[in-house]
Amino acid sequence: MNKPDKRALSTLLEQPESFNIETMDGTQKTLFMYPFQLGRLAMISQRLIDLDLTLMDKESDVVQKMWQVCADKPRKVAEIIALATLRTKQEVDEQLETRVDELLWSPSMDTQAYSNLLYIIIFQSYYADFLSAIRSVRTLRVTISQPTAAERIAPMEDAVFGDR
């Protein structure tokens, strides 16, 4: 199984990814990237948009762009990584700046580490969007079942869609 497939499976099973950072006193600290819920996904997505990181080009260009963004804007990337490693809204409210500082000052966090983690977060975001779409379709199937009156679903012009 290749890495993207493993990440997709981890996301489906909602298993957090983990990585270690070295603290200023030389100890190791394990951080977890939890499956994204809507609030964190929105905050991460907004920051990704602010980075103006377009990933639709050739793969070699994507790697180079990601590396450049991580080298030029490490604080913005650290914010994205910090958001991915904080689980609740309360943690985000209380610990975001502290986590960003931990990431920025960690001797083990270099451009390569930022780039690798940003890559994982971007793909988790896409998988999270995919999973949200699947869950929405499943919810709609339950909500809009056979007994539902057609006129309550989607009226189109003079007739209800499907009744023509």
Side-chain angles (χ1 to χ4, degrees):
M1 188 179 286
N2 60 27
K3 267 191 171 184
D5 289 343
K6 286 180 184 178
R7 286 197 186 102
L9 184 58
S10 291
T11 302
L12 288 170
L13 298 175
E14 296 188 347
Q15 296 174 340
E17 297 257 356
S18 66
F19 63 98
N20 293 323
I21 62 169
E22 185 179 342
T23 61
M24 290 306 286
D25 63 3
T27 60
Q28 294 288 315
K29 181 175 184 175
T30 302
L31 300 178
F32 295 92
M33 287 192 287
Y34 300 99
F36 299 139
Q37 294 174 333
L38 187 58
R40 273 187 306 133
L41 185 59
M43 288 186 278
I44 288 170
S45 296
Q46 184 57 54
R47 283 169 173 83
L48 288 171
I49 290 168
D50 292 344
L51 285 177
D52 196 27
L53 186 63
T54 305
L55 300 177
M56 300 302 174
D57 300 333
K58 292 182 257 175
E59 190 171 328
S60 62
D61 293 340
V62 169
V63 172
Q64 185 177 8
K65 283 181 184 179
M66 209 177 286
W67 181 274
Q68 193 65 45
V69 164
C70 292
D72 292 345
K73 301 175 183 177
R75 181 162 198 86
K76 295 285 186 187
V77 175
E79 286 177 14
I80 292 169
I81 296 168
L83 284 168
T85 63
L86 297 169
R87 190 170 203 165
T88 65
K89 182 182 181 332
Q90 182 177 357
E91 286 180 2
V92 170
D93 291 342
E94 295 173 0
Q95 299 174 22
L96 181 62
E97 287 303 315
T98 304
R99 182 62 53 88
V100 169
D101 290 340
E102 281 179 334
L103 291 165
L104 286 172
W105 294 107
S106 173
S108 59
M109 292 300 294
D110 57 10
T111 303
Q112 181 66 46
Y114 284 131
S115 185
N116 289 340
L117 292 170
L118 185 60
Y119 176 85
I120 291 168
I121 290 166
I122 289 169
F123 278 96
Q124 275 190 347
S125 297
Y126 291 145
Y127 290 128
D129 288 344
F130 177 70
L131 290 176
S132 295
I134 290 173
R135 289 183 183 126
S136 295
V137 168
R138 185 179 303 154
T139 302
L140 285 173
R141 282 187 189 157
V142 171
T143 305
I144 303 173
S145 60
Q146 290 296 331
T148 304
E151 63 270 2
R152 292 185 50 219
I153 297 175
M156 303 282 288
E157 298 174 12
D158 296 337
V160 175
F161 182 73
D163 286 352
R164 292 180 183 188

